[in-house]
Structure formats: structure tokens, C-alpha cells
Amino acid sequence: MLTDQSVITLGKSVFWLFFILGNISMIGYIISKNDEFAVGGFMLLIFGSMINLLIVAAILVYAWIDIHRRSACMKAVMIILINIPIAILYFFIGISILTF
């Protein structure tokens, strides 16, 4: 059985994992101009979005099953969803950098 803190820790861990990977891709490309960082960043955007969506869906299902953890699950989902505007911003930055 998960505790409230473990559910929130899961959300934070997923957020930081994909945030750090996105930063590595973006900064790696800006510093090195190596196209592999850009390709990796766009692949991360595609597959990371799917993985994050699956994790959010799993947490929401868990919140539906265990109503006592619903508040912690919603906090975890909100933490993960912070990555959406960041990913959109990085997408537009990446597109603008690649067109120069």
C-alpha cells in the first residue's frame, strides 16, 4: 500500500527526471550544436509525453481505487503536469534555434 508521501515522491521523481533530460537535450544542443541533442530532445518530447501520460493515468486510476489517497494523487499529477508548459516552451525554443 502506498503512502501519501510515496505518491507525491513518485510525482516529483517523474517531474525531475523528464525536466533534467529536457534540459540536458536543450543545453547540450545549444553548447555543442550537435544535431543528436536536438533529435534526442524531440524524441524525448514524443516518448516522454506518452510515458508521462501513462503515469498520470495510473495515478488517477489509483486515486479512483483508493479514495483516501486522492488528495496526494492529485498533488502528484499536478506536479507532473508542470512539465507541459516547459515542454511547449522548449519545443518552440528548439524550433527557433534549428531554423537559424
Side-chain angles (χ1 to χ4, degrees):
M1 192 54 97
L2 295 174
T3 64
D4 287 354
Q5 190 57 42
S6 63
V7 172
I8 294 171
T9 301
L10 172 66
K12 288 179 182 179
S13 299
V14 170
F15 166 80
W16 283 111
L17 173 67
F18 287 97
F19 181 77
I20 290 169
L21 289 174
N23 280 327
I24 289 170
S25 298
M26 177 67 68
I27 293 170
Y29 179 76
I30 290 171
I31 291 173
S32 70
K33 300 296 184 201
N34 186 343
D35 290 337
E36 291 178 14
F37 279 111
V39 171
F42 285 117
M43 296 299 288
L44 177 66
L45 188 65
I46 293 166
F47 291 113
S49 297
M50 288 189 272
I51 292 168
N52 277 298
L53 182 61
L54 287 173
I55 293 170
V56 165
I59 293 172
L60 289 174
V61 167
Y62 182 70
W64 183 69
I65 293 169
D66 188 355
I67 60 171
H68 301 294
R69 305 276 180 255
R70 190 165 289 162
S71 177
C73 289
M74 292 304 120
K75 287 179 186 176
V77 167
M78 294 309 246
I79 291 169
I80 294 171
L81 293 179
I82 294 170
N83 271 332
I84 292 173
I86 296 169
I88 292 168
L89 175 67
Y90 281 15
F91 173 77
F92 285 116
I93 291 172
I95 291 295
S96 68
I97 289 173
L98 289 175
T99 58
F100 282 111

